């Protein structure tokens, strides 16, 4: 078993994005005839653009100043809370969070979040060295949301 190093947390930000968590979607592609023959270009889908905008706007609403750009290692904790299916709304079912083994995949959600914070919170998402992604169905009286905690490490 690897012993993890002790690190100092320089700064911590936490924010919540209301609404159904969404994963990164494969980029769109269009083909055209260029001056060197058939070519193609990729573009970000509209859903990805909307989700990225929401992630950034909720972060800035917490008081994060976008001139603070970290150059060192970054730790992220992402909690995805999806809508609870009706089959888990019975009286006998738990009131709290329930683990969610369904789509979207945890890595696609993490990729969307880390890509949207590129150049705003850190130079490159390659600086993220510690990530934890948890997926749950919401509480019986809860709402779907995405909770993000980002820590700048020394």
């Amino acid at each position: 078993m690897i012993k993890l190093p002790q690190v100092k947390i320089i700064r911590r930000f936490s924010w919540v994005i209301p609404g159904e968590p969404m994963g990164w979607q494969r980029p769109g592609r269009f083909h055209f005839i260029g001056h060197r023959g058939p070519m193609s270009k990729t573009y970000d889908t509209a859903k990805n653009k909307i989700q990225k905008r929401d992630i950034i706007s909720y972060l800035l609403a917490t008081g994060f100043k976008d001139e603070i750009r970290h150059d060192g290692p970054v730790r992220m904790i992402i909690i995805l809370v999806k809508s609870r299916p009706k089959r888990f709304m019975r009286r006998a079912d738990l009131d709290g969070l329930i683990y969610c083994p369904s789509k979207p995949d945890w890595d696609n959600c993490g990729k969307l979040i880390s890509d949207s914070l590129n150049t705003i919170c850190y130079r490159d998402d390659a600086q993220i060295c510690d990530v934890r992604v948890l997926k749950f169905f919401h509480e019986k009286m809860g709402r779907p949301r995405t909770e993000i905690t980002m820590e700048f490490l020394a």
Side-chain angles (χ1 to χ4, degrees):
M1 187 71 140
I2 297 174
K3 184 173 172 147
L4 297 175
Q6 295 293 321
V7 293
K8 181 180 174 191
I9 298 171
I10 298 172
R11 183 170 254 149
R12 176 182 291 160
F13 298 97
S14 294
W15 69 102
V16 176
I17 303 164
E20 197 68 32
M22 196 176 98
W24 178 82
Q25 295 180 337
R26 184 167 278 120
R29 182 177 300 243
F30 69 91
H31 303 279
F32 62 96
I33 304 296
H35 65 280
R36 288 184 264 169
M39 302 175 86
S40 67
K41 273 194 168 181
T42 59
Y43 59 91
D44 224 356
T45 62
K47 286 184 179 180
N48 278 358
K49 285 182 183 176
I50 292 168
Q51 192 72 5
K52 284 179 178 183
R53 186 196 65 216
D54 288 348
I55 291 167
I56 294 166
S57 62
Y58 280 103
L59 168 67
L60 296 177
T62 65
F64 180 85
K65 303 220 178 342
D66 59 351
E67 66 267 5
I68 303 169
R69 193 166 296 124
H70 188 58
D71 286 332
V74 177
R75 176 188 298 154
M76 290 184 82
I77 302 165
I78 302 167
I79 301 172
L80 307 166
V81 183
K82 290 186 54 171
S83 295
R84 192 175 188 134
K86 290 192 180 196
R87 69 179 188 269
F88 291 131
M89 295 298 265
R90 298 172 303 186
R91 197 176 306 192
D93 290 325
L94 294 172
D95 287 337
L97 297 170
I98 300 173
Y99 279 108
C100 170
S102 62
K103 291 197 177 262
D105 297 345
W106 66 269
D107 55 340
N108 287 336
C109 294
K111 180 173 176 46
L112 178 70
I113 292 167
S114 66
D115 281 353
S116 61
L117 298 174
N118 245 353
T119 69
I120 295 171
C121 299
Y122 37 78
R123 275 183 296 103
D124 187 30
D125 55 358
Q127 292 172 245
I128 300 172
C129 59
D130 188 1
V131 178
R132 178 121 195 233
V133 181
L134 302 164
K135 285 184 359 181
F136 297 104
F137 291 124
H138 69 67
E139 308 87 345
K140 281 189 180 175
M141 300 304 288
R143 297 258 184 249
R145 62 196 179 273
T146 302
E147 300 175 15
I148 303 169
T149 301
M150 183 174 51
E151 299 170 342
F152 294 160
L153 307 176

